[in-house]
Amino acid sequence: MSVPLLLVGGGRMGEALLGGMLAAGRAPAELAVAEVYAPRRAELAEKYPGVTVVEAPVAAEGAVLATKPDGIADAARACVEAGAGRLLSVAAGITTDAISAAVPVVRAMPNTPALVRAGVTAIAPGSSAGDEDLAWAEEILSAVGVVVRVKESQLDAVTGVSGSGPAYVFLVAEALSDAGVLAGLPRDLANTLAFQTLLGSAQLLVQGGDSPADLRAAVTSPGGTTAAGTRELERGGVRSAFLEAVMAATERARELGA
Ligand SMILES: NC(=O)c1ccc[n+]([C@@H]2O[C@H](COP(=O)([O-])OP(=O)(O)OC[C@H]3O[C@@H](n4cnc5c(N)ncnc54)[C@H](OP(=O)(O)O)[C@@H]3O)[C@@H](O)[C@H]2O)c1
């Protein structure tokens, strides 16, 4: 048996990719998932009828490695032994050199909004991967969001910004909602206002056109309410805290990859 695409590791990221590809119109028969944990296999088989669910890698044209980072090298070996022609790894911190497969390897850093098909993934080629391998990876990952191409040396910074980024945004969401409660609103209402504000602001940003600074200026009339609020954020060092957060996460990614 050989399938076009095998996913190794049916965890959160593996399932996000599987669900995204099916929603984007891939036929279930083209996909297989290898997952070591039997109850999870049963769950995936029930939820995604038509997708082949197996315990160990089977022959495939290409394989996506979505196990925990310490399982990636073994998973890569098993996939190549089973006949995979190319590999795509989404493991944080594991370099394409460390995977040392006999086939081309593309490395990717996705983020959790992939679960709702609104992720952003950076991909980088290993030394033996070419344009066709990158195009193959791009097609897989574009099912769960935007894909950008970077050099492998940039992936630690990508991890700091967009890989870890959702956590920073969720922290902002928590704080904005808590502040609403402090200012006298019920929690449900504060959540709706905070979350929808993040969503709408993000939509304005990605529509392009205006820069974040322009958009901020447009809601800030001189001496007004927003000016009073942003002054407190600047006093609290929010801008510098974000710079330090991204640098710390980038440095940690570098350490984990070393
Ligand atoms: N979640 C994120 O935000 C995110 C972002 C970027 C990159 N990533 C990367 O994505 C990878 C997966 O992360 P995750 O959050 O999806 O973790 P997860 O939910 O724990 O998924 C890992 C899955 O792989 C399975 N597995 C482990 N070794 C295996 C093997 N040899 N063969 C088949 N299946 C195997 C695990 O099964 P058991 O639980 O039974 O071991 C589990 O189902 C990680 O390498 C991570 O660095 C995650």
Coordinates of all heavy atoms in Angstrom, one line a residue, residues 199-246:
L199 N -9.9 40.5 17.0 CA -10.2 39.9 15.6 C -10.3 41.0 14.6 O -9.7 41.0 13.5 CB -11.5 39.1 15.7 CG -12.0 38.5 14.4 CD1 -11.0 37.5 13.9 CD2 -13.4 37.9 14.5
G200 N -11.1 42.0 14.9 CA -11.4 43.1 14.0 C -10.1 43.9 13.7 O -9.8 44.3 12.6
S201 N -9.3 44.1 14.7 CA -8.0 44.9 14.5 C -7.1 44.0 13.7 O -6.4 44.6 12.8 CB -7.3 45.1 15.9 OG -8.2 45.8 16.8
A202 N -7.0 42.7 13.9 CA -6.2 41.9 13.0 C -6.7 41.9 11.6 O -5.8 41.9 10.7 CB -6.2 40.4 13.6
Q203 N -8.0 41.9 11.4 CA -8.5 42.0 10.0 C -8.1 43.3 9.3 O -7.7 43.3 8.2 CB -10.0 41.7 10.0 CG -10.3 40.2 10.2 CD -11.8 39.9 10.3 OE1 -12.6 40.8 10.6 NE2 -12.1 38.7 10.2
L204 N -8.2 44.4 10.1 CA -7.7 45.7 9.5 C -6.3 45.6 9.1 O -5.9 46.1 8.0 CB -7.9 46.8 10.5 CG -9.4 47.3 10.6 CD1 -9.4 48.4 11.8 CD2 -9.8 48.0 9.3
L205 N -5.4 45.0 10.0 CA -4.0 44.9 9.7 C -3.7 44.1 8.4 O -2.9 44.5 7.6 CB -3.3 44.3 10.9 CG -3.0 45.2 12.1 CD1 -2.6 44.4 13.3 CD2 -2.0 46.2 11.7
V206 N -4.3 42.9 8.3 CA -4.0 42.0 7.2 C -4.6 42.4 5.9 O -4.2 42.0 4.8 CB -4.3 40.5 7.5 CG1 -3.4 40.0 8.6 CG2 -5.7 40.2 7.7
Q207 N -5.6 43.3 6.0 CA -6.2 43.8 4.7 C -5.1 44.7 4.0 O -5.3 45.0 2.8 CB -7.4 44.7 5.0 CG -8.7 43.9 4.9 CD -9.9 44.8 5.4 OE1 -9.8 46.0 5.4 NE2 -11.0 44.1 5.7
G208 N -4.1 45.1 4.7 CA -3.0 45.9 4.1 C -3.4 47.3 4.0 O -4.4 47.8 4.6
G209 N -2.6 48.1 3.3 CA -2.9 49.5 3.1 C -2.2 50.2 4.3 O -1.1 50.7 4.1
D210 N -2.9 50.3 5.4 CA -2.4 51.2 6.5 C -1.5 50.4 7.4 O -1.7 49.2 7.7 CB -3.5 51.8 7.3 CG -4.4 52.7 6.5 OD1 -3.8 53.4 5.5 OD2 -5.6 52.9 6.7
S211 N -0.4 51.1 7.9 CA 0.5 50.4 8.8 C -0.1 50.4 10.2 O -1.1 51.1 10.5 CB 1.8 51.3 8.9 OG 1.5 52.5 9.5
P212 N 0.4 49.6 11.1 CA -0.1 49.6 12.5 C -0.1 51.0 13.1 O -1.0 51.4 13.8 CB 0.8 48.7 13.3 CG 1.5 47.8 12.2 CD 1.5 48.6 10.9
A213 N 1.0 51.8 12.8 CA 1.1 53.1 13.4 C 0.0 54.0 12.8 O -0.6 54.8 13.6 CB 2.4 53.7 13.1
D214 N -0.3 53.9 11.5 CA -1.4 54.7 10.9 C -2.8 54.3 11.6 O -3.6 55.2 11.9 CB -1.5 54.4 9.4 CG -0.4 55.0 8.6 OD1 0.2 56.0 9.2 OD2 -0.1 54.5 7.5
L215 N -3.0 53.0 11.7 CA -4.3 52.5 12.3 C -4.4 53.0 13.7 O -5.5 53.4 14.1 CB -4.4 51.0 12.2 CG -4.5 50.4 10.8 CD1 -4.3 48.9 10.8 CD2 -5.9 50.7 10.2
R216 N -3.3 53.0 14.4 CA -3.4 53.5 15.8 C -3.7 55.0 15.9 O -4.5 55.4 16.7 CB -2.1 53.2 16.5 CG -2.1 53.5 18.0 CD -0.9 52.9 18.7 NE 0.4 53.2 18.1 CZ 1.0 54.4 18.2 NH1 0.5 55.3 18.9 NH2 2.1 54.6 17.5
A217 N -3.0 55.7 15.0 CA -3.2 57.2 14.9 C -4.7 57.5 14.6 O -5.3 58.4 15.2 CB -2.3 57.8 13.9
A218 N -5.3 56.6 13.8 CA -6.7 56.9 13.4 C -7.7 56.7 14.5 O -8.8 57.3 14.5 CB -7.1 55.9 12.2
V219 N -7.4 56.0 15.6 CA -8.3 55.9 16.7 C -7.8 56.8 17.9 O -8.5 56.8 19.0 CB -8.4 54.5 17.3 CG1 -9.5 53.7 16.6 CG2 -7.1 53.7 17.4
T220 N -6.8 57.6 17.7 CA -6.2 58.4 18.8 C -6.4 59.9 18.5 O -5.6 60.5 17.8 CB -4.7 58.0 19.0 OG1 -4.6 56.6 19.0 CG2 -4.2 58.6 20.3
S221 N -7.5 60.4 19.0 CA -7.6 61.9 18.8 C -6.8 62.6 19.9 O -6.7 62.1 21.0 CB -9.1 62.3 18.8 OG -9.8 61.6 19.7
P222 N -6.2 63.7 19.5 CA -5.4 64.4 20.5 C -6.1 64.7 21.8 O -7.3 65.2 21.8 CB -5.0 65.7 19.8 CG -5.2 65.4 18.3 CD -6.3 64.5 18.3
G223 N -5.5 64.3 22.9 CA -6.1 64.6 24.2 C -7.3 63.7 24.6 O -8.0 64.0 25.5
G224 N -7.6 62.7 23.7 CA -8.8 61.9 23.9 C -8.6 60.7 24.8 O -7.5 60.5 25.5
T225 N -9.6 59.8 24.8 CA -9.6 58.6 25.7 C -8.4 57.7 25.3 O -7.8 57.1 26.2 CB -10.9 57.9 25.6 OG1 -11.2 57.5 24.2 CG2 -12.1 58.7 26.1
T226 N -8.3 57.4 24.0 CA -7.3 56.4 23.5 C -5.9 57.0 23.9 O -5.0 56.2 24.3 CB -7.4 56.2 22.0 OG1 -8.8 55.9 21.8 CG2 -6.5 55.0 21.6
A227 N -5.7 58.3 23.7 CA -4.4 58.9 24.1 C -4.1 58.7 25.5 O -2.9 58.3 25.9 CB -4.3 60.4 23.7
A228 N -5.1 58.8 26.4 CA -4.9 58.6 27.8 C -4.5 57.1 28.1 O -3.7 56.8 28.9 CB -6.2 59.0 28.6
G229 N -5.2 56.2 27.4 CA -4.9 54.8 27.5 C -3.5 54.4 27.0 O -2.8 53.7 27.8
T230 N -3.2 54.8 25.8 CA -1.9 54.4 25.3 C -0.7 55.0 26.1 O 0.3 54.4 26.2 CB -1.7 54.7 23.8 OG1 -2.2 56.0 23.5 CG2 -2.5 53.8 22.9
R231 N -0.9 56.2 26.6 CA 0.1 56.8 27.5 C 0.4 55.8 28.6 O 1.6 55.6 29.0 CB -0.4 58.1 28.0 CG 0.6 58.9 28.8 CD 0.1 60.3 29.1 NE 0.3 60.5 30.5 CZ -0.3 61.5 31.2 NH1 -1.2 62.3 30.5 NH2 -0.1 61.8 32.4
E232 N -0.6 55.2 29.2 CA -0.3 54.3 30.3 C 0.4 53.0 29.8 O 1.2 52.5 30.5 CB -1.7 53.9 31.0 CG -2.3 55.0 31.8 CD -1.3 55.5 32.9 OE1 -0.5 54.7 33.5 OE2 -1.3 56.7 33.1
L233 N 0.0 52.5 28.6 CA 0.7 51.4 28.1 C 2.2 51.7 27.9 O 3.1 50.9 28.2 CB 0.1 50.9 26.7 CG -1.3 50.3 26.8 CD1 -1.8 50.0 25.4 CD2 -1.3 49.0 27.7
E234 N 2.5 52.9 27.3 CA 3.9 53.3 27.1 C 4.6 53.4 28.5 O 5.7 53.0 28.6 CB 4.0 54.6 26.3 CG 3.5 54.5 24.9 CD 4.3 53.7 23.9 OE1 5.3 53.0 24.3 OE2 4.0 53.7 22.7
R235 N 3.9 54.0 29.4 CA 4.5 54.1 30.8 C 4.8 52.7 31.3 O 5.8 52.5 32.0 CB 3.5 54.9 31.7 CG 4.3 55.5 32.9 CD 3.4 55.7 34.1 NE 2.1 56.4 33.9 CZ 2.0 57.8 34.0 NH1 3.0 58.5 34.4 NH2 0.9 58.3 33.8
G236 N 4.0 51.8 31.0 CA 4.2 50.4 31.5 C 5.2 49.6 30.7 O 5.5 48.5 31.0
G237 N 5.8 50.2 29.7 CA 6.8 49.6 28.9 C 6.3 48.4 28.1 O 7.1 47.5 27.8
V238 N 5.1 48.5 27.6 CA 4.5 47.4 26.8 C 5.4 47.1 25.5 O 5.7 46.0 25.2 CB 3.1 47.7 26.5 CG1 2.6 46.7 25.3 CG2 2.2 47.4 27.7
R239 N 5.7 48.2 24.8 CA 6.5 48.0 23.6 C 7.8 47.3 23.8 O 8.1 46.3 23.2 CB 6.7 49.4 23.0 CG 7.3 49.4 21.6 CD 7.7 50.8 21.2 NE 6.5 51.7 21.1 CZ 5.8 51.9 20.0 NH1 6.2 51.4 18.8 NH2 4.8 52.7 20.0
S240 N 8.5 47.8 24.9 CA 9.8 47.1 25.2 C 9.6 45.7 25.7 O 10.4 44.8 25.4 CB 10.5 48.0 26.2 OG 11.1 47.3 27.2
A241 N 8.5 45.5 26.4 CA 8.2 44.1 26.9 C 8.0 43.1 25.7 O 8.5 42.0 25.8 CB 7.0 44.1 27.8
F242 N 7.4 43.6 24.7 CA 7.2 42.7 23.5 C 8.6 42.4 22.8 O 8.9 41.3 22.4 CB 6.2 43.3 22.5 CG 4.8 42.9 22.8 CD1 3.9 43.8 23.4 CD2 4.3 41.7 22.4 CE1 2.7 43.4 23.7 CE2 3.0 41.3 22.7 CZ 2.2 42.2 23.4
L243 N 9.4 43.5 22.7 CA 10.7 43.3 22.1 C 11.5 42.3 22.9 O 12.1 41.3 22.4 CB 11.5 44.6 22.1 CG 10.9 45.8 21.2 CD1 11.8 47.0 21.4 CD2 10.8 45.4 19.8
E244 N 11.5 42.4 24.2 CA 12.2 41.5 25.1 C 11.7 40.1 25.0 O 12.4 39.1 25.0 CB 12.3 42.0 26.5 CG 13.0 43.3 26.8 CD 14.5 43.2 26.2 OE1 15.1 42.1 26.3 OE2 15.0 44.3 25.8
A245 N 10.3 40.0 24.9 CA 9.7 38.6 24.9 C 10.1 37.9 23.6 O 10.5 36.7 23.7 CB 8.1 38.8 24.9
V246 N 10.1 38.6 22.5 CA 10.4 37.9 21.2 C 11.9 37.5 21.2 O 12.3 36.4 20.8 CB 10.1 38.8 20.0 CG1 10.7 38.2 18.7 CG2 8.6 38.9 19.9

